[in-house]
Each structure stands twice: as C-alpha cells, then as structure tokens.
C-alpha cells in the first residue's frame, strides 16, 4: 500500500482544516533553510512520544515484580498513559464546543507544543516524588501527566509539520516525524532497560534489591530533556507562532454522546480501582475480585462499542447536530482506531509476562528488552517501508526497495541491541517475518483498504499461530503483530476522514480521542491472563478478535465510501 499516499491525504486534510493559517505562514511555503531548521526542531517531540510509550513495555514487568502486582495491576501503567490522550483531546473538544473557538489555534502551534512539554516535565516531577514515596498509584499519576502533555503536543505537532513548507510535500514531513517516532520506539526499551538494570541482567528476585533510585534518575533525565526542548521551541526564531482564528462547528449530539460515555466509563472503573486495594489470603475472595474486574472491564468495552454503534444508528435516522459523526465511515473508523491502538499496545505490554513462562524461555524482566525493542522496531520496519515512495524512486527501483529497506531497518534494530550488549541471536530468524511483511506490502498495490485487509488477516493468522505453538515460533508470531500494525494508523485514519469535507478537523479530533483503546484493551487482556482458566498464553485470543474487526472494517468501509461516490482505491491507486 502507498502509505505515503495515505499520509498525503491525511496531510492534505490537515492542511485544509488549517487553511486560514497558510496565509500566515506564506513565508514557509517555499523550501528554504529556515523551514528545514524549523522542521528539525519540531521532529524532536515525535521522538519523545515513541521513546516513552515503548519504554513502558520494560517498565511494566519491572513494576510488576517490584510492587508485587498481578498482570492486571501492571497494565494500569498503560491505562494511565493512554487514558490521558483521550481526556486531553476530549477536554479540548469540550472547550471548542462551548466557546466555538479552537484552543490550539488561538494559542498557536508553537506555544501549544511548549505548554505540552512543560506539562510533561511536570509529570516527570510527579513521577520522581512518587518514586521517592514508594507509591505505585502516585507513579501512575506521574505517567498520566506526562501523557497529558503528549496529547497536547501531538494535537499541535502533526498539522504544524504539514504547514512547514509547500503543501505538496506535507506528507514527507509527517512521514519524517513518523520515522523519528519509530526510531524512538525501537531504542526506548533498550535505554529504559539500561537505566533500570544497568549492564547486568538481574533476576526477578533481585529486582527489589535494585530499588527505585534508578527510576528517579531516569525521569530526572527525561524531565530535563522536556525542559530543554521547551526552551528550544520557545526561543527558536525559526518556528512561526502558528496562530490563527477559526470557528468550530458545534455538534451537540456528538458532545452529549461522548460526555455520557465518559461518565459511564468513570462509573465502571471506580469499582475496578477499588478492587486494587483488596488484600486477602482467601482464594475464594481473590477469585471473586478477579471476576469482578473482568465484568467491569468488559462493561467498559461494551460501553464504548455501544456508544459508537448507537450514535451510528441515530445519525443515520437524523444527522442534524452530529457534526462529523454523521458519517458512518468516521464512527466505524473511531472504533477501528480504538481497537488498533489497543491491539498494538496490548501485544507488547503483556509480552513480558509471556516470556517469563517456561515454554517461552523463562526470561527475566531485565532480559525482555530486546524482544520489546524488536516489537516496536517492527513498526519502524513497516513505516520505513511505507515511506519509500516519498523519495520518488522509479517503479522498478521502488519494488526492489520494498524488500531491501525492511531488511536494513531490521539490521538497525539488531545493531542497536548489540551495541547495548543484548543477546540478539534468538532474533535472527525473525527476518522471515520481515520478508512476509514486504510481500504483503507489495500485494497491497498502493490501495489502503486492500492493504489494511491483508495486514489485518495476517495479524489474525499470526496471532492464531502464536496461540497454538510455543517457543520461538510463538514469540516470532506475536512479535510480528508490530509488522502488521505498522501501517494501520494512516490507513484507518485516511479511510475514516474520506469525504468529510468541512468536518475533517472535527473528525480528526474524534479519531485522536480513540487512542483510548490503549487504556482499555491491555488491562482487559491482563485480567484475562490472571484467570487460571485462561492464562497469559490464551489471553492472546483478544488480539485475534481485534484484528478480525479491523479486517471487517477494511471490507465494510470500502462499500460505505462507494455509496457516497468515493472510489477510494481508484482515487489514490496506481499499483506497482
């Protein structure tokens, strides 16, 4: 699939929604040293997002053993982190709906990124205070604050990148940001592991002796980087303010639906968090607590799916007052983004617990970093592949690069791990999965719906293989989930906003909210893993169901768009 083409549509949509600012940034619409320098400054925040998010994959098993948590409790790290994205985007939407003004537009993209970095730095301070107090809930609050700053940064940075130069090359700049983000995800687990464990490979029993002092050191360094980046942005003369005035179309019915969903989710998660404090040696009591968590977590999932489907039905009957949510492709795309982010995060978040099992190598928390790195590196492999056409190679050269670039990216991930003195020999044969991904990309023929379908079906197949096997075959199968998730964000995003016109900006905001999937699905899998009747291995049936919906979305959305007169594959196609 031409991910470059998909991202171009995404970038063009973002440029349309910010058309009022284009005049203000007219000086940047020609390629020059200034815009290049501004872009170099901007892409640093893309690195932060990937670095911290991927590092959580190592932080989760560390906290699990240090604080003696069950698998569900350890997944609260992801819950706190990705919940912040949802609430941050939701608050901005509520403010825009109340006052009819886009907050980011009034602050300006530059100031919004500065405020986001400062808030993330505040989160790092909260994390340090919580570490010194030895409180896991306090650390969750710190992670929430860090991610809340990320939410503000991400809302501003993507359209800002599109505007820093000629519109026709906006996709290239977004792709560059994505490549930097992916590099952050590849090295994040390695750096976090080195910060927590040093060069030693401590056993899980030895983790308590390590203490939390290194976590303090880690977040002191991260917080300092946030402050330095904020200062660079604030004092940079190369970056324009990015301020512009824009009216936000009100959508009262969508507002009510999201508000009700949020209130219901709060009601659901109160008993879940109350169960966190239950301490008992009575097995019957503990089993009752586990089942209570499962029921409430499933209720949360039902609330989200139910709200979106009811909204879809209501908007079809009368689309007045629904804003962007009157389009079925957007609502189904919101659910697709929710599930995609959830499955991308949950595969690796629960991977540490799987690798600790005897049938999967009995790896300790300090030994899982190369596997987590390879998972996130798999996303980098797929995204680098999708960026090839941005360099306008000849068709024959492009077809060769589709197979060469992934191998090079695979080598980069191995090299980074080798430099960190991690044992990479178990990962050599993963190259087979990388080649399969290249074949799938080639088969997509630059068509988003087709490629999304191919990748989703491969995701289903490899998760099933992983469930019915053990050892390295199973591990490779689960790691390959990163390869097949790699192109899903731009594919789903572009399909969901196709045909929205003036509602594109609002639709994009709704899609950003659905990053909430990273907060709901990983804890749900963690709780399923805690049930003795299921266990960590069989809990991976949840990703199977997630990939299945994404395949159904790929089929269904194409028909929905065709009914609206949009032949999406033809409009951006071209094949190989």
């Amino acid at each position: 699939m031409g991910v470059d083409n998909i991202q171009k549509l995404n970038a063009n949509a973002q440029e349309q929604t910010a058309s009022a600012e284009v005049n203000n940034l007219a000086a940047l619409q020609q390629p020059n040293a200034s815009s290049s320098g501004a872009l170099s400054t901007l892409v640093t925040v893309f690195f932060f997002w990937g670095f911290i998010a991927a590092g959580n994959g190592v932080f989760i098993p560390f906290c699990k053993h240090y604080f003696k948590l069950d698998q569900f409790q350890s997944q609260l790290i992801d819950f706190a982190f990705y919940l912040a994205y949802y609430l941050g985007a939701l608050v901005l939407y509520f403010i825009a709906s109340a006052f009819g003004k886009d907050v980011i537009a009034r602050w300006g993209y530059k100031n919004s990124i500065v405020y986001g970095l400062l808030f993330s730095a505040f989160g790092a301070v909260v994390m340090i205070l919580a570490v010194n107090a030895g409180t896991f809930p306090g650390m969750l609050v710190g992670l929430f604050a860090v991610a809340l700053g990320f939410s503000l940064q991400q809302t501003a940075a993507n359209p800002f990148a599109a505007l820093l130069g000629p519109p026709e090359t906006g996709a290239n700049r977004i792709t560059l940001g994505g490549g930097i983000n992916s590099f952050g995800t590849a090295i994040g687990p390695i750096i976090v592991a080195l910060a927590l464990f040093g060069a030693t490979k401590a056993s899980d029993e030895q983790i308590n002796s390590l203490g939390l002092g290194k976590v303090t050191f880690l977040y002191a360094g991260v917080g300092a980087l946030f402050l330095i980046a904020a200062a660079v942005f604030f004092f940079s003369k190369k970056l324009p303010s990015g301020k512009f005035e824009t009216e936000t179309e009100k959508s009262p019915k969508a507002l009510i639906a999201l508000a009700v969903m949020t209130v219901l989710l709060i009601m659901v998660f109160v008993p879940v968090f109350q169960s966190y404090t239950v301490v008992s040696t009575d097995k019957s009591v503990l089993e009752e607590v586990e089942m209570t968590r499962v029921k409430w977590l499933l209720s949360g999932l039902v609330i989200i799916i139910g709200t979106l489907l009811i909204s879809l039905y209501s908007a079809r009957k009368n689309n007045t007052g629904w804003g962007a949510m009157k389009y079925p492709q957007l609502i189904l795309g919101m659910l697709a983004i929710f599930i995609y982010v959830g499955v991308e995060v949950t595969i690796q978040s629960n991977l540490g617990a799987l690798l600790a099992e005897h049938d999967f190598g009995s790896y300790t928390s300090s030994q899982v970093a190369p596997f987590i790195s390879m998972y996130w590196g798999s996303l980098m492999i797929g995204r680098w592949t999708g960026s090839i056409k941005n360099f306008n190679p000849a068709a024959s050269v492009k077809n060769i690069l589709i197979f060469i670039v992934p191998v090079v990216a695979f080598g980069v991930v191995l090299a980074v791990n080798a430099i960190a003195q991690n044992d990479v020999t178990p990962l050599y044969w993963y190259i087979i999965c990388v080649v399969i991904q290249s074949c799938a990309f080639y088969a997509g023929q630059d068509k988003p719906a087709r490629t999304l379908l191919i990748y989703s079906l491969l995701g289903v197949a490899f998760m099933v293989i992983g469930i019915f096997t053990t050892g390295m075959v199973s591990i490779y199968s689960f790691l390959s989930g990163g390869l097949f998730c790699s192109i899903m964000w731009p594919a789903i995003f572009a399909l969901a906003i196709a045909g929205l016109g003036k509602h594109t900006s609002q639709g994009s905001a709704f899609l950003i909210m659905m990053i909430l999937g990273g907060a709901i699905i990983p804890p749900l899998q963690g709780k399923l893993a805690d049930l003795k009747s299921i266990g960590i291995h069989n809990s991976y049936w949840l990703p199977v169901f997630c990939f299945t919906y994404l395949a159904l979305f790929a089929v269904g959305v194409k028909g929905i768009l065709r009914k609206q007169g949009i032949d999406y594959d033809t409009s951006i196609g071209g094949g190989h």
Side-chain angles (χ1 to χ4, degrees):
M1 178 190 74
V3 172
D4 52 306
N5 285 333
I6 296 176
Q7 290 173 323
K8 184 171 289 187
L9 290 177
N10 188 0
N12 289 342
Q14 290 171 324
E15 289 158 4
Q16 291 169 8
T17 63
S19 59
E21 191 188 30
V22 174
N23 292 330
N24 296 336
L25 300 178
L28 288 174
Q29 297 306 301
Q30 298 298 326
N32 53 53
S34 177
S35 61
S36 298
L39 184 61
S40 300
T41 304
L42 179 62
V43 296
T44 57
V45 296
F46 286 80
F47 176 84
F48 286 140
W49 306 336
F51 178 88
I52 298 297
N56 286 344
V58 175
F59 198 52
I60 285 170
F62 173 84
C63 288
K64 178 181 179 179
H65 291 285
Y66 185 87
F67 291 103
K68 302 187 184 307
L69 308 173
D70 60 29
Q71 189 62 15
F72 160 75
Q73 291 168 333
S74 71
Q75 296 303 306
L76 293 178
I77 289 174
D78 276 335
F79 177 84
F81 192 81
Y82 290 98
L83 179 67
Y85 276 93
Y86 171 71
L87 292 179
L90 187 67
V91 168
L92 290 174
Y93 169 61
F94 281 175
I95 294 174
S97 297
F99 297 100
K101 297 289 183 181
D102 188 328
V103 177
I104 300 296
R106 298 198 71 179
W107 286 347
Y109 290 142
K110 178 179 176 179
N111 285 340
S112 296
I113 292 172
V114 171
Y115 298 153
L117 286 165
L118 291 176
F119 207 93
S120 292
F122 167 74
V125 172
V126 173
M127 175 68 82
I128 292 170
L129 295 175
V131 167
N132 289 332
T135 166
F136 180 64
M139 293 169 69
L140 295 179
V141 173
L143 276 173
F144 177 87
V146 169
L148 200 60
F150 284 1
S151 176
L152 182 55
Q153 295 167 42
Q154 187 160 330
T155 303
N158 281 292
F160 202 11
L163 288 166
L164 288 178
E168 62 272 17
T169 58
N172 296 42
R173 293 184 290 279
I174 294 176
T175 299
L176 173 63
I180 298 297
N181 175 269
S182 294
F183 183 66
T185 63
I187 71 170
I190 299 171
I191 301 299
V192 171
L194 286 173
L196 294 178
F197 308 112
T200 63
K201 302 302 178 185
S203 67
D204 291 334
E205 290 73 21
Q206 294 172 320
I207 285 180
N208 284 339
S209 64
L210 294 175
L212 291 173
K214 291 187 177 181
V215 180
T216 300
F217 174 78
L218 172 65
Y219 274 89
V222 168
L225 289 175
F226 288 148
L227 291 175
I228 292 171
V232 170
F233 271 82
F234 183 76
F235 291 108
S236 175
K237 295 182 180 180
K238 297 177 181 178
L239 286 170
S241 66
K243 293 182 180 180
F244 64 100
E245 292 293 330
T246 182
E247 298 294 328
T248 301
E249 182 175 343
K250 295 185 177 181
S251 49
K253 291 181 180 178
L255 182 67
I256 292 172
L258 292 172
V260 170
M261 184 180 78
T262 303
V263 171
L264 290 176
L265 287 175
I266 292 172
M267 294 172 63
V268 161
F269 279 99
V270 166
V272 172
F273 281 107
Q274 286 178 338
S275 70
Y276 172 80
T277 60
V278 175
V279 178
S280 176
T281 57
D282 189 331
K283 290 184 178 180
S284 62
V285 172
L286 294 176
E287 288 176 1
E288 183 179 349
V289 170
E290 287 184 352
M291 289 308 302
T292 298
R293 287 176 179 170
V294 171
K295 291 176 182 177
W296 283 115
L297 285 167
L298 286 174
S299 297
L301 190 61
V302 169
I303 286 169
I304 293 167
I305 295 174
T307 299
L308 293 176
L309 294 182
I310 291 172
S311 299
L312 176 65
Y313 175 77
S314 300
R316 280 182 171 176
K317 292 182 66 177
N318 181 3
N319 61 27
T320 303
W322 281 100
M325 287 181 70
K326 68 182 179 182
Y327 293 94
Q329 65 265 36
L330 177 70
I331 295 181
L332 295 177
M334 289 170 67
L335 183 55
I337 287 289
F338 173 87
I339 288 176
Y340 148 70
V341 175
V343 73
E344 177 187 274
V345 174
T346 198
I347 292 173
Q348 66 87 32
S349 291
N350 288 282
L351 192 60
L354 182 76
L355 294 172
E357 297 290 307
H358 174 73
D359 290 340
F360 298 90
S362 300
Y363 291 96
T364 66
S365 299
S366 61
Q367 295 173 324
V368 302
F371 295 97
I372 302 297
S373 174
M374 183 55 72
Y375 176 82
W376 289 111
S378 295
L379 277 90
M380 182 184 80
I381 291 167
R383 289 168 183 169
W384 282 18
T385 308
S387 302
I388 292 171
K389 197 174 181 180
N390 284 316
F391 299 95
N392 298 315
S396 58
V397 175
K398 176 191 168 187
N399 291 337
I400 295 173
L401 290 176
I402 285 175
F403 291 90
I404 293 178
V405 169
V407 174
V408 172
F410 174 66
V412 169
V413 179
L414 290 181
V416 171
N417 276 278
I419 292 171
Q421 298 184 341
N422 288 322
D423 181 13
V424 297
T425 53
L427 296 171
Y428 287 156
W429 287 104
Y430 186 64
I431 187 67
I432 296 173
C433 299
V434 174
V435 173
I436 291 173
Q437 183 270 161
S438 296
C439 294
F441 194 90
Y442 182 87
Q445 296 185 356
D446 288 331
K447 298 182 178 181
R450 174 186 292 188
T451 305
L452 180 60
L453 176 60
I454 293 172
Y455 274 55
S456 297
L457 292 176
L458 284 172
V460 171
F462 275 75
M463 292 302 106
V464 171
I465 292 172
I467 291 169
F468 285 102
T469 59
T470 57
M472 291 310 301
V473 172
S474 181
I475 293 172
Y476 283 179
S477 296
F478 292 135
L479 288 178
S480 68
L483 293 170
F484 305 125
C485 283
S486 62
I487 56 83
M488 286 188 173
W489 174 273
I492 296 169
F493 203 102
L495 291 166
I497 64 174
L500 266 59
K502 66 178 182 179
H503 296 96
T504 298
S505 180
Q506 190 180 83
S508 299
F510 290 155
L511 291 170
I512 293 293
M513 291 179 197
M514 290 298 101
I515 291 177
L516 177 66
I520 304 296
I521 293 178
L524 179 56
Q525 184 179 351
K527 191 63 260 167
L528 293 174
D530 284 332
L531 296 176
K532 292 182 179 179
S533 59
I534 297 178
I536 184 64
H537 194 187
N538 285 319
S539 72
Y540 275 85
W541 278 108
L542 185 59
V544 173
F545 297 135
C546 291
F547 280 120
T548 299
Y549 172 78
L550 294 173
L552 293 173
F553 171 76
V555 174
V557 73
K558 189 173 180 179
I560 290 171
L561 294 176
R562 186 178 292 113
K563 289 180 180 179
Q564 297 176 16
I566 304 171
D567 190 349
Y568 205 71
D569 280 346
T570 298
S571 65
I572 71 163
H576 293 286

